Amino acid sequence: MSLFPILEEISQPTPSKILFVVLDGIGGLPRQPGGPTELAAAQTPNLDALAKQSMLGLQYPVAPGIAPGSGPGHLSLFGYDPIRYQVGRGALSAIGIGAEFREGDVGVRGNFATLDAAGRVADRRAGRPSNEENVRVVGKLKAAIQEVEGARVSFYTESEHRFVVILSGAELGEKVSDTDPQKTGVEPLRAHPHDPADAASARTAAVLNALSARIREALAGEPTINGALFRGISERPKFPSMQQVYKLNPACVASYPMYKGVASLVGMRVLEVVGEEDAPEGKVKALQAHWAEHDFFYLHFKKTDSTGEDGDFDAKVHKVELFDRLLPELLALKPDVLVITGDHSTPSVLKAHSWHPVPVLLHGPYLRNDPAQRFTEDEAARGTLGTLRGTDLMPLMLAHAGKLQKFGA
Amino acid sequence: MSLFPILEEISQPTPSKILFVVLDGIGGLPRQPGGPTELAAAQTPNLDALAKQSMLGLQYPVAPGIAPGSGPGHLSLFGYDPIRYQVGRGALSAIGIGAEFREGDVGVRGNFATLDAAGRVADRRAGRPSNEENVRVVGKLKAAIQEVEGARVSFYTESEHRFVVILSGAELGEKVSDTDPQKTGVEPLRAHPHDPADAASARTAAVLNALSARIREALAGEPTINGALFRGISERPKFPSMQQVYKLNPACVASYPMYKGVASLVGMRVLEVVGEEDAPEGKVKALQAHWAEHDFFYLHFKKTDSTGEDGDFDAKVHKVELFDRLLPELLALKPDVLVITGDHSTPSVLKAHSWHPVPVLLHGPYLRNDPAQRFTEDEAARGTLGTLRGTDLMPLMLAHAGKLQKFGA
């Protein structure tokens, strides 16, 4: 059951500041049984010293056994039950590419496909085109189609065969079936509203059916990419904000569109970060520049996940060590509460997000003694925070920061 | 919130095989403070070696403080929230005795009772007759009554004063009140449908009221057992199957009707086991014979519970040691994932199911390091799986077996 009604009642604004560091995909695995994980292999003098003065534990972002995507992983860390607060695939793609995507807009995940002469799907991914090829075809569509059946249509490249359509400027609904038949040898499906009486969703379906035909016309001369399949039709979700539930004035310090998008969904102000890619120094500068203005900072580092996804154990170790070198600058800001964790594990031996619980470190006032000596999976398993769910972290941070009153008399 | 909608979406069939061993009632207690539990007292070289290469933890089958019966204990292990997926008392008895009990049938738990000359309940348990006496009276009822008000009626001995009635062959409902008044000195109640407009349940009530009278006629000459009280009127429940939710092709290897019944409720194929009572060798043979045919095997051993229920600490230790000797044959099957746990604790000092959490051992690929050295309560409490709920185990097994895709993008 969600704690939100209770938290909304007992949360209170205070001047104390929380710094919430998310090292994406930080949890790992040993390369061979008994060996060190990436965190254990890293030389981390600053993290080690901090761990000795902190409480540690493990957290399952969604539930044991569940490997979360970035969306549910982060929503859970922000305290939003990821089963209840789901983001549709189209909306998540729209958010993930950093598109302009407002309340009332509908996001659609598109696949470029190859259709045969009879209009049947021959390849659902059009031979997995390059990103450059995708950009070229998206450019062609942008030039040819701006409006369909009264709705504005915007196209965006995602990657390879994947693109995003955002529909706006009309009363649109999201309760619409996919046109992707999920198999070859049959024609693309027609989009249907789940309920014919739902006029807004019926309008979305009509737009998408007309759009399918317009895309085929526009791409008629293309040898491979000559059709599109739509799925995950979804509005920008309306979630309660962190301001409303926690009485926080929260800010996001991240570089990649997906994380900025999820942060903005829960009401965070997205601070500008100057620098290339993960821009660790740019993030520290952004924190320093805006430290006086907010009481909650979400600070995201991506590369611990990317290196894990690449299966590069040593590179992930190196990214941990890079973070360790930044840590003194974060501590110099003197956050009242500092929490370090990840949105999921990405063990380099798996080259993928995994279901393994993620180490969490909580530094601040009112700590119990804790035997953990380092910020590693093994030590966190001995920590006195025990085994938590991702959604437990926000209330814990707020409590240590003095931002929660007693519940009940 | 149930994970079933998510699991149904992200589960995928793979060739990997899961062996899920349930040592019934395995958790225990020391005989005196500081002493060993049954598991700790047992000589278990094979389990010890396995524990050193596994992850361990503790699991609460239902919730802390709750001592589960076999039904909810097992449903939880199979991933079914035991609060949401409850089995009515009559249905559980019908399943537990191994009766033929199909969808649409109604199971009723009967108590043999003694009624006085005025038809009032004098003894709700008819002096607790022997099982032999129960069998004799059930035989008399079988001979006298096969059909009542258009419904087929089947009688089965459970034990002592307990019997089971299964109604079938008519459109019957389960929303019917008990006839057991739960006290003496009053007449048995008449069965009523909870809602008079519910025709199927009204029919069940009419059948039971007529059946009460027919039983009194049939037993009119009996000195003690001359009436029957009905309760727990319930249909065979319709649960989502493990095939549907997990995409598994699951099989059950168990000897006792209750466990086979619960397994069949969730869609498992019940394999034939040859041998007397718990038949450990027969179970291994059944596993070996059908190993190629399934991807999930539930393997149940009963005697660790029975000896605990008897309060026989040493006998329970012996049953653990017997399992330890079987373990190499199980490992020789090379399951991709092997999990060993119990459906609840049955400490011999309590002679009953208890609420204590149950050790769980997970062996397979993608393990974190774990300090636990043995499969005991104390060592499991130090394990890196942490403290889980029973329903967490299925997703964990599926994840380690590669049968779950990422949740959300």
Side-chain angles (χ1 to χ4, degrees):
Chain A
M1 202 175 291
S2 173
L3 280 182
F4 275 12
I6 287 173
L7 293 171
E8 197 168 338
E9 189 188 316
I10 65 175
S11 60
Q12 60 184 359
T14 73
S16 63
K17 288 182 192 291
I18 297 171
L19 177 55
F20 186 27
V21 179
V22 177
L23 303 175
D24 207 298
I26 190 59
L29 282 172
R31 276 185 284 196
Q32 61 282 328
T37 63
E38 297 90 336
L39 273 174
Q43 302 288 318
T44 53
N46 298 310
L47 265 172
D48 296 358
L50 183 67
K52 290 186 179 71
Q53 307 163 37
S54 301
M55 289 173 75
L56 277 85
L58 290 171
Q59 53 98 357
Y60 286 101
V62 175
I66 307 299
S70 302
H74 270 84
L75 284 170
S76 171
L77 293 183
F78 298 151
Y80 292 69
D81 176 347
I83 309 298
R84 174 164 180 179
Y85 294 102
Q86 293 197 39
V87 184
R89 174 127 210 125
L92 202 63
S93 285
I95 291 164
I97 57 171
E100 190 172 299
F101 184 47
R102 295 212 183 85
E103 261 191 34
D105 295 357
V106 166
V108 181
R109 171 58 201 284
N111 267 18
F112 284 129
T114 306
L115 307 181
D116 67 18
R120 290 176 302 230
V121 179
D123 186 337
R124 288 182 54 243
R125 297 184 185 86
R128 285 194 183 272
S130 66
N131 292 348
E132 292 69 30
E133 177 70 354
N134 184 315
V135 169
R136 181 185 69 77
V137 175
V138 161
K140 206 164 172 177
L141 293 180
K142 281 181 179 172
I145 310 170
Q146 291 91 34
E147 188 266 318
V148 173
E149 302 258 322
R152 272 198 307 279
V153 179
S154 309
F155 297 93
Y156 300 85
T157 289
E158 191 168 344
S159 64
E160 299 179 326
H161 55 285
R162 305 178 194 94
F163 67 102
V164 177
V165 178
I166 296 179
L167 308 177
S168 58
E171 201 180 319
L172 299 162
E174 65 176 358
K175 295 184 168 50
V176 177
S177 63
D178 296 351
T179 72
D180 185 346
Q182 299 280 350
K183 58 184 174 188
T184 55
V186 298
E187 286 185 43
L189 305 174
R190 283 184 67 77
H192 290 288
H194 299 328
D195 174 1
D198 173 357
S201 295
R203 186 169 303 112
T204 304
V207 170
L208 290 176
N209 290 327
L211 180 60
S212 292
R214 293 279 298 277
I215 289 175
R216 288 190 62 180
E217 285 166 34
L219 302 180
E222 291 285 334
T224 313
I225 300 179
N226 62 359
L229 307 173
F230 299 130
R231 56 201 176 106
I233 296 136
S234 38
E235 293 176 73
R236 182 184 163 94
K238 296 179 200 84
F239 292 164
S241 71
M242 293 180 87
Q243 286 86 338
Q244 178 192 332
V245 182
Y246 306 134
K247 318 277 184 345
L248 289 172
N249 173 18
C252 158
V253 180
S255 299
Y256 288 80
M258 165 71 88
Y259 309 97
K260 296 195 270 194
V262 175
S264 75
L265 269 187
V266 297
M268 289 190 214
R269 173 185 169 206
V270 177
L271 300 180
E272 197 194 348
V273 174
V274 177
E276 295 289 300
E277 295 212 351
D278 216 14
E281 282 301 338
K283 285 175 181 163
V284 173
K285 288 208 179 79
L287 267 184
Q288 290 164 338
H290 298 281
W291 189 251
E293 297 159 29
H294 295 274
D295 50 16
F296 179 93
F297 295 87
Y298 153 59
L299 174 59
H300 178 260
F301 292 99
K302 175 69 181 166
K303 292 295 183 182
T304 37
D305 176 61
S306 328
T307 49
E309 294 251 19
D310 291 344
D312 192 338
F313 188 99
D314 295 329
K316 188 171 174 187
V317 169
H318 179 64
K319 294 303 176 188
V320 172
E321 293 175 343
L322 275 183
F323 172 72
D324 187 71
R325 273 176 249 160
L326 277 186
L327 188 55
E329 292 184 80
L330 302 181
L331 293 171
L333 291 165
K334 300 197 184 302
D336 296 277
V337 172
L338 169 64
V339 168
I340 304 174
T341 190
D343 55 338
H344 52 78
S345 292
T346 305
S348 44
V349 295
L350 277 171
K351 299 187 183 185
H353 293 199
S354 84
W355 60 93
H356 298 85
V358 186
V360 52
L361 175 155
L362 188 153
H363 184 70
Y366 317 124
L367 300 186
R368 292 245 171 97
N369 298 323
D370 191 291
Q373 297 293 306
R374 297 193 65 206
F375 182 65
T376 67
E377 295 82 355
D378 293 10
E379 292 289 300
R382 310 199 297 139
T384 50
L385 284 178
T387 310
L388 304 170
R389 295 292 168 103
T391 49
D392 294 331
L393 297 186
M394 280 299 310
L396 266 177
M397 282 184 254
L398 293 168
H400 280 273
K403 293 183 192 294
L404 290 185
Q405 304 168 74
K406 186 164 68 174
F407 166 56
Chain B
M1 202 174 292
S2 173
L3 280 182
F4 274 13
I6 286 173
L7 292 171
E8 196 168 338
E9 189 188 315
I10 65 175
S11 60
Q12 58 184 0
T14 72
S16 63
K17 287 179 193 290
I18 297 171
L19 177 56
F20 187 27
V21 179
V22 177
L23 302 174
D24 206 298
I26 191 59
L29 282 172
R31 277 185 283 197
Q32 61 284 327
T37 64
E38 296 90 335
L39 273 174
Q43 302 288 319
T44 54
N46 298 310
L47 264 172
D48 295 358
L50 183 67
K52 290 185 179 70
Q53 308 163 35
S54 301
M55 288 174 75
L56 278 85
L58 290 171
Q59 54 97 359
Y60 286 101
V62 175
I66 307 299
S70 302
H74 270 82
L75 284 171
S76 169
L77 293 183
F78 299 150
Y80 293 69
D81 177 346
I83 309 299
R84 174 165 181 178
Y85 294 102
Q86 294 199 34
V87 185
R89 169 120 215 128
L92 200 65
S93 286
I95 290 163
I97 58 170
E100 190 171 300
F101 184 46
R102 295 209 183 87
E103 262 191 33
D105 294 357
V106 166
V108 181
R109 171 58 201 285
N111 266 18
F112 285 129
T114 305
L115 307 181
D116 67 17
R120 291 177 301 231
V121 179
D123 185 338
R124 286 182 55 245
R125 298 184 185 86
R128 287 195 182 268
S130 67
N131 292 349
E132 293 69 30
E133 179 69 353
N134 183 315
V135 169
R136 182 186 68 77
V137 174
V138 161
K140 207 164 171 178
L141 293 180
K142 282 181 179 172
I145 309 170
Q146 291 92 33
E147 188 266 315
V148 172
E149 301 258 322
R152 273 198 307 278
V153 179
S154 308
F155 297 94
Y156 299 85
T157 289
E158 191 168 345
S159 64
E160 299 179 326
H161 56 284
R162 305 177 194 96
F163 67 103
V164 177
V165 179
I166 295 179
L167 308 178
S168 58
E171 203 180 317
L172 299 163
E174 66 174 0
K175 295 185 168 51
V176 177
S177 63
D178 296 350
T179 71
D180 185 345
Q182 298 281 351
K183 58 184 174 187
T184 55
V186 299
E187 286 186 44
L189 305 173
R190 283 184 66 79
H192 291 288
H194 298 328
D195 173 0
D198 173 358
S201 295
R203 187 168 303 112
T204 304
V207 169
L208 291 176
N209 290 326
L211 180 61
S212 292
R214 293 280 297 278
I215 289 174
R216 289 190 62 181
E217 284 166 35
L219 303 180
E222 292 285 334
T224 314
I225 302 181
N226 63 357
L229 308 173
F230 299 131
R231 58 200 176 105
I233 295 135
S234 38
E235 292 178 74
R236 182 184 165 92
K238 293 180 201 83
F239 291 165
S241 70
M242 293 180 87
Q243 285 88 338
Q244 178 193 331
V245 182
Y246 306 133
K247 317 277 181 350
L248 289 172
N249 173 18
C252 158
V253 180
S255 299
Y256 288 80
M258 164 70 88
Y259 309 97
K260 297 197 269 194
V262 175
S264 75
L265 268 187
V266 295
M268 289 191 215
R269 173 183 170 207
V270 177
L271 300 180
E272 197 195 347
V273 174
V274 178
E276 296 290 301
E277 294 213 351
D278 216 14
E281 281 301 338
K283 284 176 182 162
V284 173
K285 288 209 179 80
L287 267 185
Q288 290 165 337
H290 298 281
W291 188 249
E293 297 160 29
H294 295 275
D295 51 15
F296 179 92
F297 295 86
Y298 153 59
L299 174 60
H300 178 259
F301 292 99
K302 176 66 181 166
K303 292 295 183 181
T304 37
D305 175 61
S306 328
T307 48
E309 294 252 20
D310 292 345
D312 192 338
F313 187 100
D314 295 330
K316 189 172 174 187
V317 169
H318 179 63
K319 295 301 177 189
V320 172
E321 293 175 344
L322 275 183
F323 172 72
D324 186 71
R325 273 176 249 160
L326 276 186
L327 186 55
E329 293 185 80
L330 303 181
L331 294 172
L333 291 166
K334 300 196 184 301
D336 296 278
V337 173
L338 168 64
V339 168
I340 304 174
T341 190
D343 55 338
H344 52 78
S345 292
T346 306
S348 43
V349 297
L350 279 172
K351 299 187 182 185
H353 294 199
S354 85
W355 59 93
H356 300 84
V358 185
V360 53
L361 175 155
L362 188 154
H363 184 70
Y366 316 123
L367 300 186
R368 291 243 172 98
N369 299 323
D370 192 293
Q373 298 292 307
R374 296 194 66 206
F375 182 65
T376 66
E377 295 81 356
D378 293 9
E379 292 288 301
R382 309 198 298 138
T384 49
L385 283 180
T387 308
L388 305 169
R389 293 294 167 101
T391 48
D392 293 331
L393 296 186
M394 280 299 310
L396 266 179
M397 281 184 253
L398 293 168
H400 280 273
K403 293 182 193 292
L404 290 184
Q405 301 168 76
K406 187 166 69 172
F407 166 57

